[in-house]
Amino acid sequence: MSARGGVVDVMLRRELLPWTLLGLTLGMVEGATAAVLVKTRFGDAADPWAVNLAVAFVSGAPALSNVLSFAWANLAHGRARVQIMVAMMALFAITVGVLGLAPSATGGLLFTVLSVLVARAIWSGLLTIRASVWLANYPRPVLARMTGRIVVASSLTIATSAALTAATVAGNAIDPRWLYAGASLAGLGAAWLYRAMRVRREYQLIRDEQNAAEGGSAFSLQNLLAILRADPQYREYMFWMGIYGGGSLMLTSQLVVILTEQLRVAPATQIVMLAIVPLLSLPLFVPVWARFFDSRHIVVYRARQGWVLASAMAVMAIAVLSGWSALLWLGAAGLGIAYAGANLGWSLGHQDFAAPGMAQQYMGVHVTLTGLRGMIAPPLGIAVYQLLEGLQGGLGRWSVMLPLVATAAGALGFSSMRRRHEAPMQRRAIVP
């Protein structure tokens, strides 16, 4: 084993357990699980419109919270990463623990939504800063495979957290407050362990950031606009990510509402279908997607992964419209396969566009725009559902066609980018 490979392995070992433990914490505020909990706990405590809108915001919170990414990038710019991340992990864990104190009344609904949004905002900061750590510690040819191992381990503990939540919803066997307390303790343990983490050549990373961003200025909305103006390829990539990602973000909240109000699927079953099945798909399919990612540009990767997601959403739409429960499970499995690839693409795709020292800036652009579509897409999906349902009872389930069309349009955009990306290589291949 080379010295470089040995260092990479050491870095991976130091990261693996903290992120695995944090999966237990994250599971309590993960989109589908949190959305089902809100719909189940507050369904009779407030106006249906208000509850469904809360479902939209909670399911979209993982994306919505990213609108503050520029602030997190600002915080980490030119500074040592590990100390900041340890503090943020601890704060994230405490915020999740506080969720267990929410009362089961209308005021509790608002408290829950705000707490989930705060927790997810902190998590978005961890992801923003983590991207630069991964890029520094893992060489590009093995980047997806190394980080994929962390994603897989974390997904298993998120699934465990979701399974415990499903058991609680199904039989009231565990007081939810204990679940939130245990998840909080796991997060605090992760923060303690992460203190041993190091960033390779961090001094060089900090210097590159300071030199690259106009004499050391940190990320801002002005930087975001400057990057998009200066890099037309990344601008187009972000445009299609907005269309594609908006469709994906609409779907979860719509499914929770439709499965509850129209198909009468039990809350525990919803958690298994919308959270646990996709999460358990990650260990199986992240390694497959990682090998594909490591050998191709992100636009080629997204062109393939986008159509997989669109196909899975088509199956789910047919299942919802027909009420065929077996097809719901097949659609959930397909979504899990597609989400496994989306996870890697979202975390690492920006680095195929970023110059040295600009990875965190480009990630900041990506996650900030993710936050904007997280603010718009889930409420829009629920508004379309409510509008159709108001026209005629049962018509609301047709709202699932909107995210399907948006995701397919995004996949078409990525495919167009792929053809233009591969055209020069094809021309060189036929030159005698």
Side-chain angles (χ1 to χ4, degrees):
M1 179 184 295
S2 67
R4 187 181 190 184
V7 171
V8 167
D9 288 341
V10 169
M11 295 298 179
L12 179 63
R13 285 197 298 270
R14 288 179 177 176
E15 282 202 276
L16 199 55
L17 182 55
W19 291 114
T20 301
L21 284 173
L22 275 171
L24 292 171
T25 317
L26 180 62
M28 301 304 298
V29 290
E30 191 59 16
T33 302
V36 172
L37 283 175
V38 166
K39 184 66 175 173
T40 302
R41 189 175 183 188
F42 300 102
D44 299 323
D47 181 84
W49 246 106
V51 175
N52 288 348
L53 194 60
V55 168
F57 279 111
V58 168
S59 69
L64 170 59
S65 58
N66 287 316
V67 76
L68 297 175
S69 172
F70 69 92
W72 297 118
N74 214 14
L75 175 68
H77 183 82
R79 294 186 175 92
R81 301 299 199 267
V82 173
Q83 295 92 325
I84 295 173
M85 293 182 70
V86 166
M88 290 173 66
M89 287 177 181
L91 184 59
F92 173 70
I94 293 168
T95 306
V96 171
V98 168
L99 265 168
L101 304 177
S104 298
T106 302
L109 176 63
L110 180 60
F111 179 87
T112 298
V113 171
L114 291 176
S115 297
V116 170
L117 288 174
V118 170
R120 294 301 314 207
I122 299 167
W123 184 257
S124 78
L126 283 167
L127 295 184
T128 300
I129 300 170
R130 184 179 73 174
S132 62
V133 173
W134 282 0
L135 195 58
N137 284 349
Y138 307 119
R140 177 61 177 88
V142 298
L143 179 61
R145 276 170 284 176
M146 293 296 103
T147 58
R149 294 178 190 177
I150 298 172
V151 170
V152 165
S154 178
S155 72
L156 291 174
T157 49
I158 297 172
T160 300
S161 185
L164 290 172
T165 305
T168 300
V169 171
N172 294 318
I174 307 171
D175 189 327
R177 289 175 295 183
W178 287 109
L179 284 181
Y180 284 108
S184 181
L185 288 174
L188 291 172
W192 177 265
L193 291 171
Y194 201 76
R195 296 177 310 133
M197 188 59 192
R198 298 292 180 267
V199 181
R200 294 179 65 238
R201 298 188 181 91
E202 189 169 42
Y203 66 91
Q204 182 178 333
L205 171 65
I206 293 172
R207 186 177 67 243
D208 286 344
E209 287 178 347
Q210 292 172 341
N211 292 336
E214 297 181 356
S217 63
F219 185 73
S220 65
L221 292 178
Q222 183 178 358
N223 297 141
L224 181 150
L225 295 174
I227 288 171
L228 293 178
R229 280 195 299 266
D231 192 334
Q233 281 192 315
Y234 193 58
R235 182 172 65 242
E236 183 181 1
Y237 177 70
M238 286 292 95
F239 173 79
W240 292 120
M241 277 300 303
I243 303 297
Y244 154 92
S248 178
L249 288 170
M250 287 182 203
L251 186 65
T252 299
S253 57
Q254 287 182 338
L255 286 176
V256 169
V257 172
I258 292 169
L259 292 178
T260 301
E261 295 184 357
Q262 300 202 24
L263 301 183
R264 307 299 179 188
V265 176
T269 303
Q270 291 184 45
I271 292 176
V272 175
M273 184 181 295
L274 301 180
I276 297 177
V277 169
L279 285 167
L280 292 180
S281 299
L282 289 178
L284 296 175
F285 294 100
V286 162
V288 178
W289 285 114
R291 287 192 293 271
F292 186 69
F293 180 94
D294 281 335
S295 61
R296 290 166 178 84
H297 192 278
I298 184 60
V299 298
V300 180
Y301 179 87
R302 279 295 190 187
R304 176 78 59 85
Q305 186 269 327
W307 283 116
V308 173
L309 179 57
S311 300
M313 291 175 71
V315 172
M316 187 61 83
I318 295 171
V320 166
L321 295 174
S322 66
W324 189 5
S325 59
L327 203 57
L328 284 172
W329 290 104
L330 180 61
L335 289 174
I337 295 170
Y339 290 158
N343 194 302
L344 281 179
W346 191 90
S347 298
L348 305 174
H350 64 285
Q351 54 86 37
D352 278 345
F353 298 94
M358 293 294 289
Q360 187 165 287
Q361 306 285 332
Y362 271 64
M363 185 63 170
V365 172
H366 188 184
V367 295
T368 301
L369 294 179
T370 299
L372 290 176
R373 61 179 177 263
M375 187 183 300
I376 297 169
L380 176 61
I382 289 297
V384 171
Y385 169 83
Q386 294 285 171
L387 177 63
L388 293 175
E389 196 64 17
L391 293 175
Q392 181 180 332
L395 197 59
R397 67 178 68 186
W398 283 90
S399 62
V400 296
M401 295 304 295
L402 180 59
L404 172 58
V405 169
T407 301
L412 279 170
F414 291 135
S415 296
S416 175
M417 289 191 73
R418 175 188 60 80
R419 286 191 294 271
R420 281 178 277 129
H421 172 77
E422 292 180 338
M425 291 180 284
Q426 292 171 350
R427 285 195 295 268
R428 286 196 297 269
I430 62 176
V431 172

